[in-house]
Amino acid sequence: MKKEYDILVIGSGLGGLVSALILAKEGLKVCVLEKNNQYGGNLQTFSRDKLIFDTGVHYLGGLSKGQNLNQYFTYLGIMQDLDLKKMDENGYDRITFDGDEVAYPHSQGYDNFVEQLAKIFPEERQNLARYVQTIQNVCALFPRYNLKSDHYNEDSLYINARDFVRSVTPNKKLQVVLSGSSFLYGGVTANTPLYVHALTVDSYIQSSYKCVKGGSQISKLLIKQLRHHDAEVYKHSEVSEMIFDEENGLKSVKTKNGKEFYAKKFISNIEIRTTLDLVGKERLKKSYTNRICDLEPVISCFSVYLVLKPKSFKHFDHNYFHYRSEDLVWQNPNISPDYWPGFYMLSSTESKRYLGFAESLTALTYMSYDEVEKWGDTFNTVAEKYERGQDYEKFKEEKAEKVLFEIGKKFPELRTMIQSVYTSSPLSYRDYIGGYKGNMYGFVKDSDHPMKTIFSPKTKISNLFLTGQSVNMHGILGCTIGAFSTCSDILGKEVIDERLENVTEQKDR
């Protein structure tokens, strides 16, 4: 006798897990299918030399009591079990440049953000206050950013981020400092809307934390809650086919290992292009499929993971966003390969045994998928092993050497402190996360055409819904908000409003 679920979720990235848990908490019979050996998408971690490294979640914002992500995680039942450490309040991010010894801080707390930068730019205090106030105003217009289900203010979507920063201050150095963490959303001069910049930086200004045990603790806690609510979760279950009943829409999915899963409703948390391939273009309007096919993926990333010798390198409780020159802050994704890397983000993990010292460092920089496309027909994960060959390993070694050379300008002693070096390329992000061309954050948002990259969770197939970073906003907060929006379309807006109002009321007590 075939088993039928109320909801079947394809993909266990954060958006899929949160969607599944919201619905399971409402008593629905839920199943989640994941293709990989590990749940969580960008929340995945891996181990090297017995140390834990994050693939995508290097720090989190908005987790202090009463703040938005804290309230969402409280509703989901995972907040109290997260192992977190607050980052440097006077500079969770430090923006630095070649030839400039100043480390420009992005600090926690709106007033403190202004105060710390005003020490360096005293004549800009009023402009800095205007900057943080505008960021808050823009975020308040975004649906469910503050848990409320308001509609988009479409006018705000058309403001360009770099143009806004330039309007705030004529000081060119301050302009690039305020934009210095644009790597967190793949900022591009002509395209990036202000709302993307605002939604990304605002939550970190509210508060910034690191996951002590890595980002995978979030997915593990969500899985634990899902099982507590009798949901079923399966890995090594890649969906390879969707089966349609012409009268009733999607009726089941088949996995690569030959199993078939039936459900009344389905949520796709996988890449929207991959979803389109599974559905079949013929089932959707041509204008819709063309819109998806025309999307430009956000650039991918090359990562260098350094295991350090014990008690050798002092830990720093912030991130560095370092640029070889100021003009690369917005131009960097399109940098010439000859000048690569023009930028890196560097984070430190403190040793549990030797407090005050780092046990590892992670450096990330932009990398175009074009650089690894010659190995594009290979696929390599824990679940499906495939060696890409010596040419690929040599390519990564040469790239890692260039990254280490740039870091060495800031930390000349680092070379002698490295125990081992590991790397990942856009192919790693493609294979493990499932993003088209290994993109980091879905698709490029465009302030001239903002609605092109904002998709309704509802599809023309009556029982198929979408969630995840390729549908709307990326990041922990963006995907969480997106999941609540998806579930609003399934359960009804009023149900989700009531659940979140209860959380807000508890916060105010």
Side-chain angles (χ1 to χ4, degrees):
M1 191 174 193
K2 73 178 184 182
K3 187 175 185 179
E4 185 179 56
Y5 301 93
D6 295 312
I7 302 287
L8 188 136
V9 180
I10 305 168
S12 73
L14 180 64
L17 291 178
V18 172
S19 297
L21 182 50
I22 294 167
L23 298 167
K25 281 167 66 72
E26 296 298 320
L28 297 178
K29 191 175 181 182
V30 177
C31 177
V32 180
L33 302 180
E34 167 56 45
K35 72 172 184 176
N36 280 322
N37 184 58
Q38 190 178 154
Y39 301 113
N42 269 311
L43 296 170
Q44 294 177 70
T45 56
F46 63 93
S47 175
R48 294 290 183 271
D49 294 12
K50 299 181 180 180
L51 300 182
I52 297 297
F53 289 91
D54 277 295
T55 57
V57 179
H58 301 285
Y59 62 141
L60 303 164
L63 279 174
S64 288
K65 188 173 181 180
Q67 294 174 354
N68 50 14
L69 191 57
N70 178 295
Q71 292 181 76
Y72 279 118
F73 281 2
T74 296
Y75 171 76
L76 295 169
I78 68 171
M79 187 64 223
Q80 70 279 7
D81 294 321
L82 288 173
D83 191 353
L84 303 168
K85 183 180 179 183
K86 200 168 193 183
M87 300 174 70
D88 188 343
E89 292 194 357
N90 291 330
Y92 62 88
D93 285 342
R94 307 289 175 95
I95 315 302
T96 59
F97 305 91
D98 275 6
D100 185 347
E101 294 185 0
V102 179
Y104 299 90
H106 288 186
S107 305
Q108 299 184 52
Y110 299 112
D111 292 341
N112 194 37
F113 185 95
V114 173
E115 183 62 33
Q116 298 305 321
L117 282 175
K119 291 178 181 179
I120 304 170
F121 303 96
E123 72 287 354
E124 295 289 333
R125 181 180 293 274
Q126 188 173 351
N127 289 334
L128 285 164
R130 186 156 60 93
Y131 169 80
V132 296
Q133 187 58 59
T134 304
I135 292 297
Q136 293 173 75
N137 293 343
V138 170
C139 290
L141 297 172
F142 196 82
R144 296 209 181 278
Y145 186 79
N146 294 315
L147 280 70
K148 297 176 182 177
S149 60
D150 302 323
H151 296 290
Y152 285 105
N153 180 311
E154 288 199 22
D155 290 343
S156 68
L157 304 180
Y158 289 84
I159 303 171
N160 180 269
R162 192 186 68 162
D163 289 349
F164 160 72
V165 172
R166 285 180 170 179
S167 74
V168 167
T169 172
N171 188 307
K172 294 189 181 300
K173 175 68 80 171
L174 183 54
Q175 289 174 5
V176 294
V177 167
L178 292 175
S179 308
S181 60
S182 58
F183 177 77
L184 297 174
Y185 46 87
V188 182
T189 306
N191 301 104
T192 304
L194 171 58
Y195 82 89
V196 173
H197 170 85
L199 292 171
T200 304
V201 302
D202 181 75
S203 63
Y204 292 117
I205 296 174
Q206 289 184 45
S207 63
S208 297
Y209 291 85
K210 280 201 170 186
C211 286
V212 175
K213 297 176 183 176
S216 63
Q217 64 174 298
I218 298 172
S219 55
K220 289 173 183 175
L221 289 171
L222 290 169
I223 296 290
K224 183 179 178 180
Q225 284 294 318
L226 278 165
R227 289 179 171 147
H228 174 73
H229 290 282
D230 298 322
E232 297 179 23
V233 189
Y234 300 101
K235 52 189 177 182
H236 302 294
S237 299
E238 181 176 358
V239 172
S240 57
E241 185 181 359
M242 289 182 170
I243 311 299
F244 289 86
D245 180 327
E246 293 305 330
E247 291 183 3
N248 301 313
L250 183 57
K251 70 172 185 176
S252 66
V253 298
K254 287 185 178 179
T255 61
K256 274 190 172 181
N257 54 15
K259 292 184 179 179
E260 188 167 5
F261 294 80
Y262 295 82
K264 296 172 185 174
K265 290 184 172 69
F266 298 78
I267 298 174
S268 176
N269 181 223
I270 59 177
E271 176 74 69
I272 194 168
R273 282 174 177 258
T274 307
T275 303
L276 177 60
D277 290 339
L278 287 170
V279 170
K281 293 181 181 180
E282 71 280 359
R283 297 185 183 277
L284 299 166
K285 288 185 178 180
K286 189 174 182 180
S287 58
Y288 185 78
T289 60
N290 287 344
R291 180 180 161 202
I292 293 173
C293 293
D294 288 344
L295 293 172
E296 178 188 353
V298 171
I299 194 168
S300 192
C301 170
F302 183 79
S303 302
V304 180
Y305 308 98
L306 304 177
V307 176
L308 302 174
K309 296 175 182 176
K311 296 177 67 175
S312 62
F313 188 90
K314 289 289 182 68
H315 169 65
F316 50 87
D317 201 16
H318 54 266
N319 304 302
Y320 283 108
F321 289 81
H322 182 81
Y323 296 85
R324 291 175 66 179
S325 66
E326 293 175 21
D327 61 356
L328 290 175
V329 171
W330 285 104
Q331 302 288 354
N332 198 59
N334 303 312
I335 192 173
S336 163
D338 297 333
Y339 199 63
W340 187 95
F343 152 88
Y344 61 81
M345 174 188 172
L346 187 68
S347 61
S348 167
T349 300
E350 187 174 22
S351 169
K352 299 165 188 63
R353 187 175 180 185
Y354 303 110
L355 297 180
F357 289 92
E359 64 181 16
S360 66
L361 297 175
T362 299
L364 303 95
T365 188
Y366 290 113
M367 178 175 278
S368 169
Y369 183 81
D370 293 345
E371 293 212 50
V372 295
E373 194 160 25
K374 64 188 289 187
W375 299 285
D377 59 349
T378 66
F379 189 88
N380 184 29
T381 65
V382 171
E384 293 185 54
K385 286 285 188 182
Y386 185 97
E387 298 300 326
R388 304 194 204 274
Q390 287 301 311
D391 285 350
Y392 178 69
E393 296 304 320
K394 183 180 178 182
F395 165 82
K396 291 200 297 176
E397 287 174 11
E398 290 174 350
K399 292 296 185 181
E401 181 61 32
K402 290 185 176 183
V403 173
L404 289 173
F405 176 80
E406 292 302 323
I407 299 174
K409 294 177 183 178
K410 182 180 287 294
F411 302 104
E413 75 285 1
L414 178 61
R415 289 274 185 175
T416 64
M417 302 173 178
I418 297 173
Q419 181 173 297
S420 48
V421 180
Y422 300 94
T423 59
S424 63
S425 80
L427 293 176
S428 311
Y429 287 87
R430 181 201 66 180
D431 294 353
Y432 279 96
I433 312 303
Y436 177 64
K437 292 191 173 182
N439 72 78
M440 291 189 290
Y441 309 126
F443 296 96
V444 174
K445 312 291 192 294
D446 189 345
S447 54
D448 288 335
H449 308 284
M451 301 310 292
K452 281 189 175 181
T453 50
I454 296 176
F455 289 85
S456 168
K458 290 182 179 179
T459 72
K460 295 298 181 184
I461 295 166
S462 61
N463 62 341
L464 175 63
F465 299 82
L466 307 173
T467 200
Q469 71 172 14
S470 67
V471 178
N472 203 325
M473 272 297 291
H474 67 281
I476 299 295
L477 180 59
C479 287
T480 299
I481 291 173
F484 276 84
S485 296
T486 298
C487 292
S488 290
D489 282 344
I490 294 172
L491 297 171
K493 184 181 79 68
E494 298 77 13
V495 173
I496 297 299
D497 286 348
E498 181 182 337
R499 303 296 182 266
L500 294 177
E501 281 171 13
N502 291 337
V503 177
T504 304
E505 288 170 4
Q506 291 172 13
K507 175 205 74 169
D508 294 335
R509 286 173 187 168

